[in-house]
Amino acid sequence: MQDLRSRIKAKELLIGTFIKTPAPHIVEILGEAGLDFAVVDQEHAPIGIAQMDMMALASRAVGMPILSRRWGASRDWIAPLLDLGMAGVMVPHVMDGPDAEAVCNAVRFSRGKRGLSPSPRAGNYGGMSIPDYRSNCDASSVVMVQIEDASALDHLDEIAAIEDVDMLFIGPADLAQSMQASYPSDELDEAILRVVAAGLKHDKAIGLFVGNAAHIPDWHDKGITLFVSGSDQSMLKGAATGLAAAKRS
């Protein structure tokens, strides 16, 4: 499987999508299509850990890294998903430095707070030594923290300065709502550029959700290197709507 974290740190242009359907076949199809990664959207879709297990298995089979996004003030949901062999996590509504540190504590064994056992899939079912398991997981697990609250804009420096944070990922819809701004709007674009500036200052990669892939080139020119565009469901509905329209015409 591709090393997604290394590609993020190298600031390659990476394009993926959200997965909202709890089926390993979706992971397989998107991987065969050539996407760089996908994010399983446990925040806004009914996807449980047993389904995540099969989706993580499919991601390894097809060679496409997947991450999880799940809402929750505590961070105890993170380690079990990484144990399944997922490439990392995208954590919503990270507000400040201490919040980002808590996310990193849940991901990196080197911080001494994540429960340690090489028995799950990520440890080759016990086939890896503990030192190798620790080092491999810490080297490859992706930490994306979502910037999607107006108050977080005042803490960008402290968040971006944390070494174990790999990416600041902008959630534009929630950010606009928190700012009481329109989506899209010039005010929102200015806030996005503030996040980009913090990333450049601290050599952190920046990610962005775009509803339309046509917006990728412009934002890439502005310094954003990873994009989540739409979802499996939006792609299916768009194709089906086009097919239905062809029949009516």
Side-chain angles (χ1 to χ4, degrees), residues 24 38 58 79 91-92 107 123 126 160 182 191 209 221 235 248:
V91 181
V107 174
S182 297
F209 174 81
D221 287 345
M235 286 188 274
R248 290 193 295 270

Side-chain angles (χ1 to χ4, degrees), residues 147-197:
I147 306 300
E148 48 188 353
D149 298 272
S151 62
L153 297 174
D154 296 325
H155 299 278
L156 291 173
D157 268 346
E158 62 185 89
I159 296 171
I162 298 170
E163 184 177 356
D164 284 330
V165 169
D166 298 312
M167 168 166 285
L168 308 182
F169 187 90
I170 303 157
D174 279 357
L175 182 56
Q177 175 177 259
S178 178
M179 295 169 58
Q180 298 186 344
S182 297
Y183 173 36
S185 67
D186 291 341
E187 186 180 359
L188 176 61
D189 288 353
E190 289 172 5
I192 291 172
L193 291 175
R194 284 180 63 186
V195 182
V196 173

